[in-house]
Amino acid sequence: MSTSDSSSNAAPQGNSPATDAAKRQRDAVEASLIAAPARSQGRLTTASGETLAYSVCAAFVPVMGAAGSASAGQADAAIFTTAYTLDGATHAQRPVCFVFNGGPGSSSVWLHLGAVGPKRVRVPDDGNMPAPPYAVEDNPHSWLSGMDLVFIDPPHTGYSITASDDARKKMLSVDGDIAALVEVIQAWLTRHQRWGSPVYLCGESYGTTRVAGMADKLIDDGVGLSGLLLISLAMDIQALEFTPRNDLPYGLYLPAMAGVAQYHGMLRGPLAASPEAAREAAQSFVTEDYLAALHLGARLDERSRLKVQRRLSELTGLPSSLVAQKNMRITDSTFFAELLRPQGHLVGRLDARSTAPMALPQEATMGFDPGMEAINAPFTMAGLQHFGQDLGFQSPRRYMIFNPAVNSEWNWNRGKAQGNSYACTSPDLARALRRQPHLRVFVASGLYDLGTPYSASDWALDQLDIPASVRPRIEHHHYAAGHMMYSRQADLESLKTDVDAWLASTPAPGSVPAF
């Protein structure tokens, strides 16, 4: 008998390494799903003096195999959720908000313990790293006063896992991630009998990418959404990627870079007067001169080229010779490494107010992100302590705050697209807004965020394919901090105030929209 005949007719060896690994994956999912939820109670005094009694439920929710697939009738994933619900509230009148962070590859810990949940990790207002030890404290600005909160960790973040390599590959993609998390939301609503509640979605960074896509998908499934909260917008990846022949980010980043350069004292003359002056001057330059210059390329005459290079140098605080060397194109990585090179410092990406010393042989690019370093250890250590001690959740697996393997394996294509692709869920959001006349959108951007700059977010919202009559349902708020603007106390408070006002303006049940 040939080898091929043997492999096609014989049953797989039960003790082969591959079979054992596959069994362990499925066993881990099944064990998670049958584990009893961790339940606890808490009390919170809000900034307004109100006392909230709430219940916490940390539990896994299944993502089931698709009909007709090899895993049909079995769970393809166990997704970890942490829900905070107000005691004694009437479900029909109590909104529920499903919350995600981004990455891809990030757990929901940043919004959970940074701004939205009833507990918070405190970090310095200036974006720099606090000294250990780290712990959570009550968050009097929690969104729990207005909504029940469900924090969801996507596959292979937090404690969430998939049951097979095929399920992992499927869910580590733009569309697979959306489909899995839409199913989780519907399963949670069913399990907790909350189909009568107003439903909101909240995402940060790549979480906004998924939330925009999920909104349209949930509407397909008959789920009426009341609102979306998009923190640090990233629906149009092309606007954020400095890649060859993609000139879009250069103009979109420049106003934010100018504000950062002013913050660090690198601008001169009228541009140094205020961050607003720097940002407004940069925006005018982009609109009036810069975009046309980039478009002309080699056709740009020498006099105009020198004029553009000089103005770019003035707006960014970088040497004119460097601007010329970079062909009038300043990438984010160049800016991070070069702005404070004379002082021997790197500038942060997620929070450009933060800095860190360069290595002695000064690097040409950013070796690490000072903005991320400032929060990684505090949130990791305080978060793990919170889950184990405060919530009483025990797991044989470590809670994955951020999983870099997820990010490196991510499939950015959508539908049947192949090859390199800029993921974009702006059309999904525009379609959802056109389909649901009561759907409203709250957007928050940090003025010192150079991961998803406010100016790129402005552009993404301006490009939405919606009529003028729909635009008033979108609000965009700006805060004087970074990607996690809520790390700054004043902006944590302002964000809560703005969200409360937005919730209070929700149309009354049964009202008819005006077109």
Side-chain angles (χ1 to χ4, degrees), residues 212-231:
M214 290 173 68
D216 197 44
K217 178 64 174 170
L218 282 164
I219 295 170
D220 285 345
D221 292 347
V223 180
L225 297 172
S226 294
L228 310 177
L229 297 105
L230 307 177
I231 314 296

Side-chain angles (χ1 to χ4, degrees), residues 142-159:
S142 170
W143 298 4
L144 184 61
S145 60
M147 301 182 284
D148 287 342
L149 307 168
V150 184
F151 298 92
I152 300 178
D153 297 324
H156 294 287
T157 74
Y159 292 124

Side-chain angles (χ1 to χ4, degrees), residues 17 21 24 39 63 96 115 126 132 135 150 162 166 170 182 198 213 223 227 242 278 286 323-324 335 381 386 444 474:
R24 286 195 298 271
R39 300 182 185 275
V63 176
V96 57
D126 62 3
V150 184
T162 54
D166 286 345
K170 179 181 178 180
V182 160
V223 180
F242 291 89
V286 168
V323 174
F335 188 78
M381 299 187 74
H386 176 63
I474 302 173

